[in-house]
Each structure stands twice: as C-alpha cells, then as structure tokens.
Amino acid sequence: QLQASGGGLVQAGGSLRLSCQSSGRTVSRTIMAWFRQAPGKEREFVGCVSWSGYRTYLDPVKGRFTISRDNARNTVYLQMNSLKPEDTAVYYCAADVSGTIRTKTSDYDYWGQGTQVTVSS
C-alpha cells in the first residue's frame, strides 16, 4: 500500500515536497515513480527512481523536480521547485516491481491515492 502526502496550494515559483510511503514489503528491484493528472487530461509520467538511485524525468520538469528515495524508510520523495501553473494536477506515486524503467501507467503495479498540487499564477 502506498500513501502519498505533501500536496497543497503554492504560488508560481514556489516549492513543494511530496512524500510516498510504502507500508508493504519492499522489493529490491522496485521502481518508484510519480505521475500526475491534470483536469481533463490523461495521467502522465513525471519521473521515477530505481532501487540504486538511477532517475529519469519528463522533459518539462527536468531541472525543476528531483526524485529521491529512502529505502530504509520505504519512502520516495518528489521535490518540486520553480513550480508553474501548468504543474497543477493530482500527483500519484506508483511502484513497478519489474525492476525495469518504464513510463506507462499500465506498467505500474501499485498506486497511491493521489495528492493535489495547485500552483497559482
């Protein structure tokens, strides 16, 4: 089970840090990812991190967002800086036990409940 938290309302240019804690057994090869879904749009991949710390990101967030994970705490984080109104969405964490870096929603096995991020202009 994944539990996401940390969303909120922030002005453009501000920062937020999202957290996602897993309450289940952590599989060593698990890829942890963040997705987001804006109103009227499909859920999109934001970025992910492997067990060893390899990261990949959606192009529009590169240089602004950073994913990290604390394997001992079964927690993954999404640090979001220089936020823009177009970052407004519900953010979801997800886990893929395959160990392969993948970006489709259908590739992920477990999902958190989502946390709202709203960026005002």
Side-chain angles (χ1 to χ4, degrees), residues 6-8 10 16 18 80 83 87-91 115-119:
V10 64
L16 281 174
L18 307 183
M80 304 184 293
L83 282 161
D87 295 318
T88 295
V90 177
Y91 283 70
T115 184
Q116 176 71 47
V117 171
T118 303
V119 184

Side-chain angles (χ1 to χ4, degrees), residues 69-112:
R69 65 190 291 171
D70 184 336
N71 292 328
R73 297 175 183 268
N74 288 343
T75 302
V76 62
Y77 304 96
L78 179 64
Q79 177 67 45
M80 304 184 293
N81 298 327
S82 302
L83 282 161
K84 303 176 181 180
E86 52 263 43
D87 295 318
T88 295
V90 177
Y91 283 70
Y92 298 88
C93 59
D96 177 2
V97 299
S98 74
T100 302
I101 298 291
R102 300 187 290 185
T103 62
K104 295 180 180 179
T105 56
S106 58
D107 293 329
Y108 284 77
D109 306 291
Y110 303 99
W111 290 85

Side-chain angles (χ1 to χ4, degrees), residues 42-55:
E42 293 187 353
R43 194 171 298 187
E44 67 176 355
F45 174 83
V46 174
C48 68
V49 59
S50 70
W51 178 268
S52 62
Y54 176 83
R55 302 174 182 86

